[in-house]
Amino acid sequence: METILSHPLFLPFVMTLVIVFGFPLLAGYMVLVERKVLADLQVRLGPMRVGPHGFLQPIADAVKLLIKEDIIPEDSDKSIFWFAPMISTFTALTSFAVLPFSASLRVADVNVGILIVSAMSAVGILGIILGGWASNSHYSLLGALRSAAQLVSYEVALALALLSGVMAAGTLSMVQIVKNQQSQGLWFVFDNFGFMIVPFVCYMIAAVAETNRAPFDLPEAESELVAGYHTEYSGFRWALYFLSEYAAMFVVSSVMVTVFWGGWLRPFPNVNWLEIPFNYAFPAILFIGSGVWCFPMSKRLPYAPHRLFLIVLALILIGIGGLFLIPMVNLAIIDIFWFFFKVSVAIYSLIWVRGTFPRFRYDQLMNIGWKVMIPTALGAIFVNALIGMAKS
Amino acid sequence: MATQTFLDANELVLNMGPQHPSTHGVLRVILNLDGEKILGTDCVIGYLHRGVEKIAENRTYPMFTPYVDRMDYVASISNGLGYCLAVEKLMNLPAPPRAEAVRVILTELNRIASHLVWLGTHALDIGAITPLFYTMREREEALKIFENYCGARLTTHAFRIGGLQYETYDGFEEQVKAFCDAMEPRIDEYETLLTGNRIWIDRLKGIGILTAAECKQYGVTGPMLRAAGVKWDLRKAFPYSGYEKYEFDIPTRENADTYDRYIVRMQEMRQSVRIVRQAVANIPDGPIIAKVPKVVKPVPGEVYVSIEAPKGELGYYVVSDGTNQPYRVRVRPPSFINLQSLEKMAKGALIADIVAIIGTIDIVLGEVDR
């Protein structure tokens, strides 16, 4: 037993299992959050029927998708049609391997971590193109073409924006990037007298395009192309595309958090007296506060099991909040808290953007990609390199 | 048809509709594409044809009034008004002033409701998902007024030949005033979301241009004509139902593109609020319906009456042969005639633009196909 636990591959193996089996659930809840946040922006309630406030909706959706009839169009290229969603899911999940969730919690610390993430997202396009091509449908084909063009152009801007961050850190390893931010006592987004904000904004815009989300959701623009490349997909194969999309969303947010927002570090990581408010008070208030908020909410629910469910949820949240007050436990989980908190903020802003902006047109998207984003990212590299040289 | 395409490749024929999210019903557009560029469009209509004009020949004059609501169901009150005015003119039986004022209030509220539906769906087509829910929220208030007035929300059958069936309910004026007060800040809210939005401007400016001369060639009316700079509004040109008593402007723009049509419609909503305010401030007392004979039997003759519906000129050509059923009813639907300009506007545009162009015409397929 001891030997298994201390084996160097033990933690990565467990982490892999957790990610592969846990992420679908997380993605389901990301969908629920997205629906709820959009509903909030759009003066409506969102899912309310399955569980209290729609809390069990993702489970119901997953079950529905699993038991749905699997339709493969007659004229499609069946083997590729069958295989394409797997490429997307596989590559999206592979990117998780290099994400550092905390100082010690990760699958692998590769010295070219960022390269792996961008390589995987580039290969992931293949799944979309093949899926669109194999469907043998005009809408799918147009969606796949758009998607390929879009991802290839924004990949460049994305990589160039990341390059500024890599220059500031001096390493490609995701863990080392965070550690360098810790030693400088500064998130890289505020580095170089604030000039790093330019590549950060570039990255953020390119990331929205890279994940095919509004206002860059042309490959699946439902008002034009019905559903784009996955028009012909249904059931679980469609769910795989969905999963890969949400995985991509999580990965780009994580990379943004790692490179620009200090990964698992709290704000002002080296100011010691801020440890109490940020590491103890903030998470405890967040969790206990949301837990307490559940009690008046539960009173308004008409259905008794829903009320009970919400109260149990409230107690769990208060319990988690209490854990943050125990110094020993706090030390173990505070890094994970900050990482996921920042990723949540990033994902929230992605949803917010989706609820606010209209969609770009194909040629405008290309214009912005090549004529605005790439020159800006290149200029940012130049300026940040000069400032970096002047500093050292 | 051999058309030169890029690299001499075959053109791609894309069948858009009749079941498609943004053809606003059952419009079918066959697109000839070169990549994303549209070489030609072919409109197929008739999926919602119900033979409304033929039905009219087998119904008495009052019995046909509910049918007109089913044409442009988004602006059913305007349809009813047009038909009632036509029969009233045929019988030389003008509605009393009180009925005229209530008709103006309800019709203008319906214009606002119709434009709200247009704004929400148009924004949704362009990719802005949120305004739809805001516009539906305000439309709901207008529909509540209709519901309180006549019991129906969508296909209202609010008017009768010769005036109104119902007296206004208690609190009608207050509810209408409250709606007007709420509406103006709401329109400002939509404008903050869209008017200055860079993506919105990029998507709409210079798209689907139809100049004033082309509008006249096609017979295009309504906001599309006014966005081309022609100051033409039947409420001013041939006032009906007492519109000459109210002060309002005809908003026009010069560029004749999709963005200008958006601006024109937004301003029209403000003007409608202005008209409703004036109308509701002094609704005259008196009877609500003229002395209509038990059997509506006009003398033989024919009449054409047109009104400014939310979508353009809505005309009714009614021929009487002296019996209690019309000999012929011909409807001039604005959507049907405006839709003919689709091919002209869409040529050379991209796929994303055709969605914007269909949206900017503001069609209702019930009215196109009748």
Side-chain angles (χ1 to χ4, degrees):
Chain A
M1 195 63 196
E2 275 295 304
T3 49
I4 294 178
L5 281 178
S6 59
H7 193 276
L9 286 179
F10 176 74
L11 186 66
F13 184 71
V14 172
M15 279 295 293
T16 311
L17 287 183
V18 168
I19 288 169
V20 169
F21 291 102
F23 184 73
L25 192 69
L26 183 65
Y29 277 91
M30 277 164 77
V31 176
L32 180 66
V33 166
E34 169 152 21
R35 290 173 68 178
K36 279 291 187 187
V37 173
L38 278 181
D40 188 32
L41 295 173
Q42 296 169 348
V43 290
R44 57 193 176 93
L45 289 173
M48 287 293 284
R49 294 301 173 92
V50 191
H53 291 265
F55 199 79
L56 298 177
Q57 186 71 42
I59 316 277
D61 286 345
V63 170
K64 183 210 105 180
L65 287 171
L66 273 171
I67 60 178
K68 219 176 163 181
E69 185 191 353
D70 179 30
I71 300 166
I72 298 183
E74 192 65 29
D75 292 334
S76 63
D77 194 331
K78 290 192 183 55
S79 50
I80 299 179
F81 189 86
W82 182 82
F83 189 58
M86 284 189 220
I87 300 179
S88 285
T89 318
F90 174 79
T91 51
L93 287 179
T94 308
S95 305
F96 279 81
V98 290
L99 300 181
F101 298 104
S102 81
S104 54
L105 199 65
R106 57 175 183 268
V107 176
D109 177 19
V110 188
N111 59 3
V112 288
I114 284 185
L115 281 185
I116 287 190
V117 171
S118 59
M120 278 303 145
S121 77
V123 177
I125 304 166
L126 199 60
I128 291 174
I129 298 173
L130 288 179
W133 180 261
S135 298
N136 200 6
S137 149
H138 286 163
Y139 287 118
S140 303
L141 181 64
L142 282 169
L145 279 176
R146 283 181 173 192
S147 164
Q150 173 179 338
L151 293 181
V152 168
S153 1
Y154 277 82
E155 194 77 43
V156 182
L158 192 83
L160 288 176
L162 275 183
L163 207 55
S164 296
V166 171
M167 258 175 6
T171 169
L172 282 167
S173 151
M174 305 274 270
V175 177
Q176 203 55 46
I177 288 173
V178 180
K179 285 191 175 148
N180 287 1
Q181 296 182 59
Q182 189 165 24
S183 60
Q184 293 188 22
L186 186 72
W187 293 2
F188 280 153
V189 65
F190 304 118
D191 203 5
N192 291 353
F193 314 107
F195 272 101
M196 283 294 280
I197 203 117
V198 179
F200 163 68
V201 172
C202 278
Y203 178 83
M204 188 133 178
I205 297 171
V208 178
E210 184 73 14
T211 46
N212 288 340
R213 290 184 58 80
F216 301 102
D217 56 343
L218 299 135
E220 46 196 294
E222 71 270 9
S223 60
E224 298 152 26
L225 298 181
V226 189
Y229 62 89
H230 58 56
T231 304
E232 304 293 335
Y233 280 86
S234 65
F236 201 63
R237 254 178 266 291
W238 178 83
L240 284 181
Y241 271 128
F242 217 62
L243 182 69
S244 70
E245 195 185 313
Y246 278 83
M249 213 169 123
F250 190 90
V251 168
V252 292
S253 304
S254 306
V255 172
M256 182 163 89
V257 165
T258 308
V259 176
F260 294 106
W261 288 359
W264 63 80
L265 304 175
R266 67 181 159 88
F268 307 104
N270 290 351
V271 185
N272 280 331
W273 62 271
L274 283 173
E275 193 180 343
I276 298 291
F278 277 128
N279 276 7
Y280 289 88
F282 179 68
I285 290 172
L286 188 71
F287 277 99
I288 295 177
S290 0
V292 170
W293 182 245
C294 284
F295 287 114
M297 299 253 285
S298 76
K299 285 207 183 111
R300 282 194 269 166
L301 290 175
Y303 187 47
H306 283 184
R307 282 201 292 272
L308 189 72
F309 191 105
L310 207 61
I311 286 168
V312 171
L313 188 74
L315 294 176
I316 292 173
L317 283 173
I318 291 172
I320 294 174
L323 283 181
F324 280 99
L325 296 176
I326 306 166
M328 281 292 289
V329 186
N330 185 297
L331 212 59
I333 58 178
I334 193 67
D335 288 354
I336 304 173
F337 167 79
W338 275 114
F339 182 82
F340 277 93
F341 181 77
K342 288 173 190 170
V343 170
S344 308
V345 171
I347 289 175
Y348 183 90
S349 45
L350 287 179
I351 298 170
W352 190 2
V353 165
R354 179 180 169 199
T356 311
F357 288 120
R359 185 183 300 118
F360 275 109
R361 203 173 59 203
Y362 181 66
D363 56 328
Q364 294 165 350
L365 177 97
M366 285 298 161
N367 273 344
I368 294 167
W370 290 99
K371 294 185 185 163
V372 180
M373 298 289 297
I374 292 177
T376 314
L378 273 173
I381 291 179
F382 186 67
V383 171
N384 281 310
L386 282 182
I387 296 175
M389 267 159 57
K391 273 205 302 191
S392 58
Chain B
M1 185 180 76
T3 319
Q4 196 68 26
T5 58
F6 179 63
L7 295 177
D8 282 338
N10 290 333
E11 60 187 59
L12 179 78
V13 179
L14 186 69
N15 186 20
M16 189 168 158
Q19 302 297 329
H20 185 282
S22 53
T23 53
H24 292 233
V26 285
L27 173 69
R28 176 174 168 209
V29 187
I30 299 169
L31 302 172
N32 293 313
L33 298 175
D34 173 19
E36 291 246 347
K37 203 172 153 208
I38 293 164
L39 299 173
T41 60
D42 205 353
C43 254
V44 185
I45 60 171
Y47 290 94
L48 205 58
H49 178 63
R50 292 158 296 177
V52 171
E53 289 175 7
K54 188 68 187 166
I55 290 172
E57 294 165 21
N58 300 303
R59 298 284 182 277
T60 62
Y61 286 92
M63 272 169 78
F64 184 60
T65 23
Y67 283 91
V68 294
D69 288 351
R70 271 80 181 167
M71 286 190 293
D72 182 356
Y73 40 79
V74 180
S76 59
I77 292 181
S78 287
N79 283 309
L81 178 64
Y83 177 71
C84 289
L85 285 174
V87 180
E88 282 159 16
K89 193 172 175 190
L90 198 59
M91 296 184 66
N92 199 11
L93 193 79
R98 181 172 174 80
E100 282 192 336
V102 175
R103 280 178 172 188
V104 166
I105 294 168
L106 291 177
T107 314
E108 290 305 318
L109 288 180
N110 200 192
R111 186 187 310 278
I112 296 171
S114 168
H115 280 355
L116 285 176
V117 172
W118 160 80
L119 175 64
T121 51
H122 187 44
L124 187 67
D125 288 345
I126 308 292
I129 46 181
T130 304
L132 176 70
F133 294 93
Y134 294 167
T135 59
M136 287 295 152
R137 177 184 60 188
E138 270 69 81
R139 177 172 177 257
E140 189 63 30
E141 296 306 313
L143 294 190
K144 271 181 194 157
I145 294 176
F146 303 154
E147 191 181 3
N148 287 340
Y149 174 67
C150 61
R153 290 154 51 85
L154 196 65
T155 47
T156 46
H157 192 202
F159 306 144
R160 300 294 185 275
I161 294 163
L164 309 167
Q165 169 89 26
Y166 308 109
E167 187 51 77
T168 54
Y169 58 92
D170 292 343
F172 174 74
E173 284 95 342
E174 289 71 34
Q175 200 176 357
V176 171
K177 274 176 195 153
F179 176 81
C180 291
D181 292 341
M183 200 56 216
E184 272 164 350
R186 298 297 193 194
I187 300 174
D188 294 338
E189 193 180 311
Y190 310 142
E191 297 227 37
T192 22
L193 260 177
L194 296 173
T195 306
N197 187 320
R198 183 64 200 275
I199 305 176
W200 183 254
I201 295 172
D202 280 355
R203 281 299 302 275
L204 298 189
K205 274 250 162 94
I207 301 302
I209 291 177
L210 199 68
T211 60
E214 287 162 347
C215 282
K216 285 173 188 164
Q217 279 174 10
Y218 281 99
V220 166
T221 48
M224 288 180 73
L225 182 65
R226 291 192 280 277
V230 181
K231 222 176 173 72
W232 179 254
D233 189 322
L234 289 170
R235 289 175 293 178
K236 284 267 192 217
F238 304 109
Y240 53 88
S241 195
Y243 268 109
E244 66 276 7
K245 286 183 283 192
Y246 308 113
E247 258 182 49
F248 62 98
D249 304 326
I250 308 174
T252 52
R253 296 278 286 189
E254 295 304 318
N255 301 329
D257 59 4
T258 308
Y259 185 74
D260 278 8
R261 286 172 210 137
Y262 157 77
I263 297 284
V264 163
R265 288 197 176 99
M266 295 305 271
Q267 288 177 356
E268 266 180 28
M269 281 200 265
R270 292 181 195 278
Q271 294 300 329
S272 288
V273 171
R274 201 171 145 197
I275 296 171
V276 173
R277 273 188 202 284
Q278 294 171 39
V280 82
N282 46 32
I283 304 177
D285 290 329
I288 52 163
I289 189 157
K291 285 201 163 50
V292 185
K294 280 260 157 52
V295 179
V296 178
K297 207 183 241 186
V299 290
E302 53 182 57
V303 68
Y304 177 77
V305 170
S306 58
I307 63 161
E308 187 69 31
K311 291 159 184 76
E313 178 184 344
L314 172 69
Y316 283 90
Y317 176 62
V318 184
V319 183
S320 161
D321 57 356
T323 62
N324 61 352
Q325 294 177 343
Y327 176 75
R328 173 87 170 95
V329 173
R330 157 76 187 154
V331 185
R332 184 224 186 264
S335 295
F336 173 68
I337 289 159
N338 292 355
L339 182 62
Q340 308 311 311
S341 57
L342 176 67
E343 176 156 14
K344 171 84 188 156
M345 288 195 281
K347 199 154 205 164
L350 301 173
I351 297 183
D353 294 334
I354 195 161
V355 173
I357 291 168
I358 293 174
T360 190
I361 301 174
D362 190 14
I363 47 167
V364 165
L365 265 294
E367 190 179 52
V368 173
D369 297 340
R370 278 162 290 142

